[in-house]
Amino acid sequence: THHTVVVSGVASNRALTRIELLNLSIDELNEFVADTLNLNVENTVPLTQVIYGKTRGNIFFSMQLIEELHRRNLLYYSVITFEWEWNLDGLELESTLPENIVAAVGSKIQSLPDKLQRALIIAYYTRSSIDVTSLRELMAADMFDVEMKELVGLLDIAVLEGLLFNTVGSNVYRFAHDRIQQAAYWMVPSGKERDELRIRIGKKLVQLFSEPNANDWMIFVAADHLNSCTSHGTDLMTLVQLNLICGERAFGLAAFVPASLYLRLALKSLRRLDGSPWEEHYDLSLRVYRGITNIELCLGNPAGFELGKEVVNRARCLDD
């Protein structure tokens, strides 16, 4: 189907093709398993039935399950027959294999070197892709010092394991599947430990954002982390400034709903500051109130008029 696509403000016609990726049938999955193990399709039917029963033909889940079987020595290469063989004791399989693919991927991650495990965890708490330089800085903030060359080598191991993707010559790595990200997420216990990690990452991203050639994603991710951990010591002034920047940048991208959310959080933190914000932080208060007034009026929200009245009543001069 042909659509008009807007790229950097210029409309261009590009051919877009929608491809529906459905789960494999049991016969198709059997062909995949046979090809993977270099065996005849007739011989792999029992193994395929076990895999299909767990994955219902999802190719990513099937690949992870094959690796899990190998890792637990239920699928092994025989040095006698020089072929892949497996132990299909039904009771053992049911009790040994994880009930969901996230647990299987988590088990795979736990078998990796400690530094690589931590790199995958920290990468999850940024976004689906991250550059090596930023990841190294974040790991240092997490007390995991690693040289650039060593980190690249570790990430390349994750690529070989099918956990990450990377284009040759690029320093950006991205997760191969969202279930891998979920597995990395659950490796950090909820509560204080997870909040402390998010605070460390958030504060480091704020610092990185202040440096030349910083990327916008850093400030948005930092805001999301620090907004979620207010009970663990994030100061209110930081939250005001952080959410204000995010709100203004989202507004500049015409993302009005996210802009409203960030500016509402900025306003909430502003009102919680000691003393009178309008008297002690006039410029900041004016910027927050004007920003959220503009957003709410753009969204057609009547609350924008009430916020606008606050600006009129508090402004020190007609221009303000």
Side-chain angles (χ1 to χ4, degrees):
T1 306
H2 282 79
H3 298 276
T4 298
V5 183
V6 177
V7 182
S8 300
V10 179
S12 62
N13 291 321
R14 291 190 175 186
L16 304 179
T17 302
R18 180 181 296 274
I19 302 175
E20 298 293 341
L21 298 178
L22 304 177
N23 286 350
L24 301 179
S25 68
I26 191 168
D27 291 335
E28 291 168 335
L29 181 60
N30 190 43
E31 291 181 15
F32 171 78
V33 173
D35 183 66
T36 300
L37 302 180
N38 196 27
L39 296 172
N40 294 326
V41 291
E42 295 82 6
N43 297 335
T44 54
V45 170
L47 177 61
T48 299
Q49 289 174 339
V50 171
I51 296 172
Y52 188 83
K54 285 281 187 179
T55 67
R56 311 313 298 176
N58 182 294
I59 186 61
F60 173 77
F61 294 173
S62 298
M63 291 167 63
Q64 296 301 318
L65 189 54
I66 290 172
E67 292 186 14
E68 184 70 10
L69 288 168
H70 178 239
R71 189 160 49 251
R72 301 197 181 198
N73 206 34
L74 297 171
L75 174 65
Y76 50 89
Y77 190 78
S78 173
V79 296
I80 298 175
T81 63
F82 298 103
E83 288 186 344
W84 286 96
E85 297 181 356
W86 49 87
N87 179 1
L88 288 180
D89 184 337
L91 292 176
E92 183 181 356
L93 283 174
E94 288 301 317
S95 61
T96 302
L97 293 181
E99 288 300 319
N100 60 74
I101 198 63
V102 173
V105 177
S107 175
K108 180 176 182 177
I109 293 175
Q110 288 175 333
S111 69
L112 299 173
D114 290 343
K115 287 184 178 180
L116 179 52
Q117 290 185 43
R118 201 61 180 179
L120 292 173
I121 290 171
I122 292 174
Y124 165 80
Y125 283 92
T126 56
R127 53 180 188 162
S128 60
S129 62
I130 189 170
D131 63 279
V132 180
T133 303
S134 299
L135 180 57
R136 181 172 177 268
E137 293 280 357
L138 292 171
M139 291 189 69
D142 194 46
M143 306 303 290
F144 274 78
D145 288 324
V146 56
E147 295 297 326
M148 187 72 72
K149 185 177 181 180
E150 181 185 3
L151 181 56
V152 170
L154 290 169
L155 296 176
D156 286 342
I157 292 175
V159 172
L160 293 174
E161 292 289 343
L163 299 173
L164 298 177
F165 284 149
N166 170 254
T167 302
V168 176
S170 170
N171 71 335
V172 176
Y173 291 77
R174 63 185 178 88
F175 283 97
H177 197 280
D178 59 356
R179 294 303 178 93
I180 298 172
Q181 292 178 270
Q182 290 179 28
Y185 172 77
W186 287 112
M187 289 183 68
V188 181
S190 60
K192 184 178 180 181
E193 182 176 346
R194 187 180 296 169
D195 286 350
E196 289 178 346
L197 173 62
R198 298 185 72 179
I199 289 173
R200 286 196 296 272
I201 292 174
K203 289 183 176 180
K204 185 61 179 182
L205 287 173
V206 171
Q207 177 186 334
L208 293 176
F209 182 74
S210 66
E211 298 177 358
N213 303 318
N215 296 310
D216 278 354
W217 70 264
M218 295 176 176
I219 199 68
F220 286 105
V221 173
D224 291 342
H225 283 319
L226 297 180
N227 284 330
S228 300
C229 304
T230 54
S231 61
H232 290 281
T234 305
D235 67 277
L236 293 173
M237 182 58 74
T238 297
L239 291 177
V240 175
Q241 295 169 338
L242 201 55
N243 286 297
L244 176 59
I245 293 172
C246 290
E248 290 177 339
R249 287 178 181 262
F251 181 75
L253 297 171
F256 295 147
V257 172
S260 174
L261 294 174
Y262 284 119
L263 286 168
R264 283 177 175 272
L265 289 169
L267 180 60
K268 179 180 178 181
S269 297
L270 181 69
R271 288 172 169 171
R272 291 173 58 194
L273 291 173
D274 293 334
S276 172
W278 280 103
E279 293 179 5
E280 298 181 22
H281 310 284
Y282 176 79
D283 291 337
L284 181 63
S285 299
L286 181 64
R287 190 172 156 193
V288 170
Y289 271 91
R290 284 200 305 199
I292 194 170
T293 298
N294 288 335
I295 290 292
E296 298 304 332
L297 291 177
C298 285
L299 292 172
N301 188 345
F305 292 103
E306 296 303 317
L307 292 165
K309 290 179 182 178
E310 180 81 4
V311 177
V312 171
N313 292 333
R314 296 285 191 170
R316 293 177 178 174
C317 64
L318 187 58
D319 286 343
D320 289 349

